[in-house]
């Protein structure tokens, strides 16, 4: 069992858990993920690592309530425990001095991009970050991302905070600007990563995305997370989660993310009904 | 002396009609009377071919004599002195090609049902003296890390612990047992029985660390630096092979590993009580002819598929699955499409598989495996409608440990190179055994490899 040492509700539906997991904390690197299971009857789902503290032996994850598992996870309070916390899985994000790196994040993936931006900057890069949300109430970690970036642009879809619009608009402006962009890292909902990749492609700027397909074991055993990158089938859990966004078959990925839509809906409804939740 | 009885006592089974509706164990096990009658057929010959035929050299005539004499505690002692996992082996060993194949009675009639008797002894122990323990040698102060808690790892851990060594098992998943938990279905290998045998191994003083992915939380070198004197790799063959034909990433196409892991380890057959779902459609095609293919097909029936096909490119004779499993599958209503090979998958606009284009095959000259090579019949293409496909072509070792371990040599196929007699790898202090060395094989051969490694590791530790 893995104890939640600290819980923070970043928005009503986005939560942060700091978890006691010394083995994972010892080796965690930016871009890696863990596989968790809430309880004995729970499914295994991947969550990206948002932070770690090797001395304290803790790992921080940030997740958004979407289906039954994330909603059930959101009912776990500080000092309570979850059944499984395995990692760090996947390959770390490749960090080196590229020059100018634009880090683009959408929604709760802000938590994933913060350690990447931090490491990129430590490696000597100039880091320009773009963070996008649906609306002002959902904005979190602006200070954290600002503290590891040379510049920060905030957008909201409805214009209630920062610039109005989606992240690809300022991304395109940066690419068209005078300053040469050497690398783009885009992390967020699949559709946001797809359009970020489509935005950068005409400029020929290498774009790294962090994919989030369905997973079970997270160690290369089952192959449910397979994704076409170029002409090759790769397993996101062991070959990724980072891939070249210009080569990912986005439509296939989005179809595969919907495999269990019907079952997930049924599962969520039953659960909400049985415990009288929203 | 009584007349030679050439017929074995049949094993009570759930009927095919009843069992396809549930995941309960198919074979129900011998009653006391059954076991006594079967044990009494053994002529206690001096040849002991059975013991030689057993990869872990169980003293078979002796434990059968103990059953016959009604001394069950003695039968347990004899069996467990060589085999820490009798409840597992009694169920999933291919006895017909090992101990039973060389039974003296086999020349004239049916060999003794050694596997069934082994299971009977294990089940008796569980019911009548649960938690009994053998003697453990005085502590040696030596520490061994075992990577993987499948059949090889559990055997190595149990035997080294009995010899007085301090053993820690590192398991990547959230429960111990490896393929016994994620692969082999409940109706062939009840998960409670696996956990009883895991608990037995723990009762010998073995420490079990779950969710511990070696290659990620520590490398093998780091384990050695952390004060372990030796490492045994029993990481299995966990990487699924695909067909590499067009359309293989359509929704509804599973690797057998995924299909079985969802069903067995994650208990998708109990969805939505358990959270992990599995797609249940009308027509499923399982590609392959091995035991894993039979397991996937038989799971499909129980999950509620209406038509279940095994699609295999060679003929029945070349099928690698155990005859018993093929017969069970057939009895339950699995339809065999032999000499048939998929060419491509066809999907709908939402990315779901709807059909599979196949080609008929015929058998040509024998290939390197000694089996006749299947050759496509030109112009014989046809399509079959399917909504789920399970690819059961086999597995290769997971590269996570080999690629993070300096000095550990592997073959082109990705298997770890180890001496057959000792399990010694090319890296000092590191042994390996089971599927990670041989590629996908049987539970008992992994246990046999574990036994041989134990002797070598023990000698190494005592000389250190």
């Amino acid at each position: 069992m893995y104890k939640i040492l600290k819980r923070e509700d970043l928005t009503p539906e986005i939560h942060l858990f700091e978890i006691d997991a010394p083995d994972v904390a010892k080796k965690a690197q930016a871009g890696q993920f863990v596989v968790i299971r809430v309880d004995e009857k729970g499914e295994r789902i991947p969550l990206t690592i948002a932070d770690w503290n090797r001395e304290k032996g803790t790992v921080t994850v940030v997740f958004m309530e979407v289906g039954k598992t994330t909603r059930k996870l959101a009912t776990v309070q500080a000092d309570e425990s979850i059944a499984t916390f395995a990692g760090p899985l996947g390959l770390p994000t490749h960090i080196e001095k590229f020059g100018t790196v634009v880090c683009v994040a959408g929604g709760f993936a802000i938590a994933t991009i913060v350690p990447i931006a931090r490491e990129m900057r430590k490696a000597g890069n100039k880091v320009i970050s773009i963070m996008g949300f649906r609306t002002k109430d959902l904005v979190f970690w602006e200070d954290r991302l600002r503290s590891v970036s040379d510049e920060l642009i905030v957008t909201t879809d409805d214009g209630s905070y920062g610039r109005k619009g989606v992240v690809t608009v300022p991304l395109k402006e940066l690419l068209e600007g005078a300053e040469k962009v050497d690398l783009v890292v885009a992390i967020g909902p699949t559709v946001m990563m797809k359009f970020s990749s489509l935005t950068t492609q005409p400029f020929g700027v290498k774009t790294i995305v962090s994919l989030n397909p369905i997973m079970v074991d997270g160690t290369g055993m089952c192959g449910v997370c397979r994704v076409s990158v170029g002409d090759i089938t790769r397993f996101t859990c062991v070959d990724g989660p980072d891939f070249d966004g210009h080569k990912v078959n986005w439509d296939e990925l989005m179809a595969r993310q919907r495999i269990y839509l019907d079952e997930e809906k049924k599962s969520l409804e039953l659960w909400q009904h049985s415990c009288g939740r929203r | 002396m009584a007349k030679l009885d050439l017929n074995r006592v049949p094993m009570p089974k759930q009927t095919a009609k009843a069992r396809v509706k549930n995941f309960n164990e198919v074979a129900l096990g011998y009653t006391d009377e059954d076991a006594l009658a079967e044990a009494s057929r053994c002529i206690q010959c001096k040849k002991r071919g059975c013991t030689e035929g057993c990869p872990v050299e169980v003293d078979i005539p002796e434990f059968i004599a103990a059953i016959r004499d009604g001394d069950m505690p003695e039968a347990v002692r004899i069996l467990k002195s060589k085999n820490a996992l009798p409840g597992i082996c009694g169920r999933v060993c291919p006895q017909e090609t090992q101990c039973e194949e060389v039974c003296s009675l086999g020349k004239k009639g049916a060999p003794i049902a050694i596997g069934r008797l082994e299971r009977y002894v294990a089940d008796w122990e569980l019911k009548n003296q649960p938690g009994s323990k053998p003697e453990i040698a005085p502590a040696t102060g030596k520490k061994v890390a075992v990577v993987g808690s499948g059949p090889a790892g559990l055997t190595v851990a149990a035997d080294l612990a009995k010899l007085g060594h301090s053993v820690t098992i590192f398991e990547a998943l959230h429960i111990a047992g490896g393929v016994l938990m994620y692969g082999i279905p409940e109706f062939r290998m009840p998960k409670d029985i696996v956990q009883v045998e895991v608990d037995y191994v723990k009762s010998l003083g073995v420490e079990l660390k779950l969710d511990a992915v070696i290659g990620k939380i520590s490398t093998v070198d780091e384990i050695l630096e952390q004060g372990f004197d030796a490492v045994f790799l029993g990481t299995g063959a966990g990487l699924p092979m695909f067909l590499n034909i067009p359309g293989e990433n359509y929704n509804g196409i599973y690797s057998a590993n995924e299909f079985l892991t969802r069903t067995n380890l994650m208990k998708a057959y109990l969805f939505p009580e358990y959270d992990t779902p599995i797609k249940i459609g009308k027509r499923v095609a399982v590609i392959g002819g091995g035991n894993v293919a039979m397991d996937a097909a038989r799971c499909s029936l129980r999950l509620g598929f209406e038509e279940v096909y095994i699609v295999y490119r060679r003929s029945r004779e070349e099928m690698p699955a155990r005859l018993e499993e093929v017969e069970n599958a057939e009895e339950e209503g699995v339809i065999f499409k032999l000499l048939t090979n998929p060419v491509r998958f066809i999907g709908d606009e939402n990315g779901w598989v709807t059909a599979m284009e196949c080609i008929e095959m015929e058998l040509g000259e024998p290939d390197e495996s000694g089996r006749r090579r299947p050759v496509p019949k030109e112009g014989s293409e046809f399509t079959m409608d399917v909504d789920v496909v399970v690819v059961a072509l086999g597995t290769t070792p997971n590269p996570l440990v080999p690629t993070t371990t300096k000095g550990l040599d592997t073959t082109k196929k990705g298997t770890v190179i180890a001496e057959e007699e000792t399990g010694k790898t090319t890296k000092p202090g590191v042994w390996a055994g089971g599927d990670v060395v041989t590629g996908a094989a049987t539970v008992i051969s992994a246990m046999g490899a574990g036994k041989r490694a134990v002797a070598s590791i023990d000698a190494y530790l005592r000389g250190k």
Side-chain angles (χ1 to χ4, degrees):
Chain A
M1 299 295 276
Y2 302 84
K3 199 171 178 182
I4 316 299
L5 297 178
K6 188 177 109 185
R7 174 191 165 124
E8 211 179 297
D9 300 320
L10 301 173
T11 77
E13 293 200 327
I14 298 176
H15 314 281
L16 174 150
F17 282 178
E18 191 179 330
I19 294 179
D20 182 30
D23 286 342
V24 185
K26 198 176 65 190
K27 287 296 183 78
Q29 293 181 67
Q32 289 186 299
F33 64 93
V34 290
V35 163
I36 69 109
R37 206 169 50 118
V38 181
D39 53 33
E40 284 310 313
K41 291 183 177 177
E43 63 180 338
R44 294 172 65 100
I45 61 159
L47 292 177
T48 332
I49 294 172
D51 207 354
W52 57 88
N53 185 321
R54 301 204 206 284
E55 287 72 42
K56 274 169 70 186
T58 63
V59 175
T60 301
V61 289
V62 172
F63 64 96
M64 183 164 74
E65 293 182 46
V66 183
K68 176 180 172 184
T69 297
T70 44
R71 281 173 199 262
K72 197 158 81 170
L73 183 61
T75 66
V76 183
Q77 303 300 322
D79 283 336
E80 294 178 344
S81 296
I82 58 172
T84 298
F85 194 81
L89 300 172
L91 302 174
T93 298
H94 178 72
I95 307 283
E96 63 168 69
K97 187 172 177 189
F98 296 96
T100 298
V101 177
V102 177
C103 290
V104 193
F108 76 100
I110 306 305
T112 311
I113 211 118
V114 166
I116 294 171
R118 183 180 69 209
E119 298 305 312
M120 285 292 186
R121 204 162 178 224
K122 260 195 223 164
N125 293 291
K126 176 178 178 184
V127 173
I128 304 173
S129 295
I130 305 172
M131 60 197 286
F133 301 87
R134 280 205 316 278
T135 185
K136 186 184 176 187
D137 293 344
L138 302 179
V139 177
F140 71 94
W141 277 23
E142 183 184 349
D143 292 349
R144 278 219 195 186
L145 189 53
R146 192 181 301 281
S147 73
V148 293
S149 309
D150 294 277
E151 280 174 44
L152 176 72
I153 301 162
V154 187
T155 69
T156 51
D157 294 357
D158 62 3
S160 55
Y161 188 70
R163 287 184 55 173
K164 182 177 159 80
V166 291
V167 289
T168 47
V169 179
L171 174 61
K172 188 157 183 253
E173 287 170 11
L174 285 172
L175 293 163
E176 286 167 342
E179 188 174 349
K180 181 170 171 276
V181 175
D182 297 285
L183 182 78
V184 171
V185 182
I187 307 179
T190 305
V191 66
M192 170 258 165
M193 293 192 281
K194 174 184 173 176
F195 282 100
S196 298
S197 300
L198 289 174
T199 303
T200 59
Q201 196 150 18
F203 297 91
V205 176
K206 183 157 184 172
T207 301
I208 299 298
V209 292
S210 175
L211 303 186
N212 51 353
I214 297 172
M215 290 189 190
V216 182
D217 60 288
T219 62
M221 205 177 91
C222 83
V224 64
C225 66
R226 61 196 192 274
V227 54
S228 298
V229 181
D231 290 329
I232 306 167
T233 293
R234 312 295 298 271
F235 286 5
T236 305
C237 67
V238 287
D239 302 325
D242 289 3
F243 292 105
D244 181 342
H246 297 154
K247 292 186 179 159
V248 170
N249 182 336
W250 294 101
D251 294 341
E252 179 188 281
L253 173 65
M254 284 191 264
R256 290 191 64 79
Q257 286 172 328
R258 289 193 295 264
I259 294 177
Y260 293 110
L261 225 51
D262 296 344
E263 288 80 3
E264 281 164 7
K265 195 166 162 253
K266 180 178 166 193
S267 184
L268 180 60
E269 277 168 7
L270 270 172
W271 181 71
Q272 287 171 325
H273 182 74
S274 71
C275 53
R277 284 174 193 280
R278 65 195 142 84
Chain B
M1 193 181 157
K3 193 169 166 282
L4 217 54
D5 184 352
L6 297 177
N7 296 310
R8 56 167 57 179
V9 177
M11 176 80 122
K13 281 208 278 189
Q14 284 195 73
T15 65
K17 210 175 147 193
R19 70 187 190 237
V20 293
K21 305 270 184 235
N22 66 57
F23 272 81
N24 300 337
E25 195 167 15
V26 168
L28 302 171
Y30 273 166
T31 62
D32 297 346
E33 293 73 33
D34 291 341
L36 185 61
E38 186 63 21
S40 304
R41 288 178 62 225
C42 175
I43 57 170
Q44 295 286 321
C45 63
K46 295 284 167 277
K47 277 175 60 189
R48 305 176 60 81
C50 49
T51 295
E52 279 170 38
C54 172
V56 299
E57 296 168 14
V58 167
D59 294 312
I60 294 169
E62 284 75 13
F63 96 75
I64 291 180
I67 300 175
R68 186 199 57 203
D69 298 343
D71 190 354
M72 288 306 294
E74 179 63 3
V76 171
R77 192 196 59 75
I78 295 167
L79 185 53
K80 280 200 140 174
S81 70
K82 294 286 174 67
N83 183 345
L85 316 170
I88 293 166
C89 291
R91 286 172 170 83
V92 301
C93 263
Q95 290 97 6
E96 67 278 6
T97 59
Q98 297 178 345
C99 52
E100 294 178 9
E101 188 179 35
V102 287
C103 172
S104 297
L105 280 182
K107 289 192 195 83
K108 290 188 171 160
I112 296 290
I114 299 166
R116 294 171 185 178
L117 290 173
E118 179 181 28
R119 170 180 167 178
Y120 171 76
V121 174
D123 290 355
W124 182 91
E125 188 201 16
L126 179 58
K127 211 164 107 194
N128 296 285
Q129 49 179 43
S132 62
K133 261 197 282 184
E135 245 176 78
I136 294 174
T140 61
K142 302 290 184 193
K143 281 173 73 183
V144 183
V146 171
V147 185
S149 65
L154 289 176
T155 301
V156 168
D159 286 7
L160 286 174
K162 280 197 267 183
L163 292 167
H165 305 301
S166 157
V167 183
T168 303
I169 301 181
F170 296 90
E171 166 56 47
L173 288 171
H174 57 261
I175 192 160
V179 73
L180 301 164
M181 291 304 290
Y182 73 75
I184 304 177
E186 175 77 19
F187 56 83
R188 282 217 290 135
M189 185 67 254
K191 304 307 154 213
D192 287 352
I193 303 279
V194 179
Q195 291 312 308
V196 164
E197 307 220 323
V198 169
D199 287 344
Y200 167 74
V201 174
K202 280 160 71 180
S203 78
L204 303 174
V206 170
E207 192 194 344
L208 177 62
K209 288 194 76 155
L210 300 171
D211 308 321
V213 187
I214 299 306
K216 293 292 182 185
I217 60 163
S218 299
T219 61
V220 169
D221 286 296
E222 285 166 337
I223 291 176
L224 289 167
E225 285 159 21
Q226 282 158 20
F228 284 94
D229 300 290
V231 178
F232 176 82
L233 304 174
T235 47
L239 210 65
M241 292 200 266
F242 283 93
L243 289 150
N244 296 315
I245 60 175
E248 203 166 15
N249 292 344
Y250 278 132
N251 290 355
I253 303 179
Y254 290 86
S255 72
N257 260 5
E258 184 194 352
F259 194 78
L260 292 173
T261 298
R262 283 182 181 274
T263 308
N264 302 318
L265 178 73
M266 305 310 295
K267 299 199 188 298
Y269 65 94
L270 297 175
F271 177 86
E273 185 199 340
Y274 280 73
D275 291 342
T276 304
I278 195 158
K279 208 72 197 177
I280 300 168
K282 287 198 169 64
R283 285 162 62 97
V284 56
V286 179
I287 320 289
N291 288 322
V292 171
M294 300 305 138
D295 283 346
R298 297 175 70 197
C299 280
S300 303
L301 284 170
R302 286 161 174 80
L303 286 166
F305 283 87
E306 288 165 19
E307 284 174 44
V308 178
Y309 293 87
I310 288 272
V311 176
Y312 180 55
R313 64 194 183 125
R314 304 182 199 241
S315 78
R316 199 176 172 113
E317 233 167 84
E318 291 82 21
M319 271 199 176
R322 282 178 79 184
L323 184 63
E324 188 186 323
E325 301 308 324
V326 177
E327 284 171 358
N328 274 328
E330 206 154 44
E331 223 175 84
E332 290 169 8
V334 173
I335 306 159
F336 287 78
K337 281 193 99 61
L338 304 172
L339 291 166
T340 302
N341 206 24
V343 180
R344 68 181 177 109
F345 297 103
I346 300 158
D348 65 15
E349 68 281 5
N350 296 318
W352 280 89
V353 67
T354 55
M356 182 166 87
E357 186 179 311
C358 299
I359 190 161
E360 288 176 21
M361 311 290 278
E362 53 196 357
L363 294 178
E365 293 301 306
D367 62 13
E368 63 276 12
S369 75
R371 296 175 299 177
R372 293 178 65 193
R373 183 193 300 274
V375 198
K377 269 203 255 179
E378 221 174 292
S380 67
E381 289 88 350
F382 68 98
T383 58
M384 58 190 282
D385 290 343
V386 289
D387 43 24
V388 170
V389 174
V390 180
V391 181
L393 293 181
T395 51
T396 55
N398 193 315
L400 213 47
V401 170
T403 53
T404 54
T405 308
K406 284 187 299 273
L408 185 74
D409 290 352
T410 53
T411 65
K412 261 185 267 168
K413 286 180 177 167
T415 52
V416 169
I417 296 171
E419 285 178 17
E420 170 142 15
E421 278 316 303
T422 61
K424 265 187 194 161
T425 68
T426 53
K427 188 177 176 71
V430 180
W431 282 255
D435 285 1
V436 71
V437 171
T438 56
T442 61
V443 168
I444 191 69
S445 67
M447 292 175 58
K451 282 259 170 201
R452 294 190 295 276
V454 164
S456 172
I457 295 169
D458 184 53
Y460 170 82
L461 294 175
R462 287 180 197 280
K464 208 175 165 179

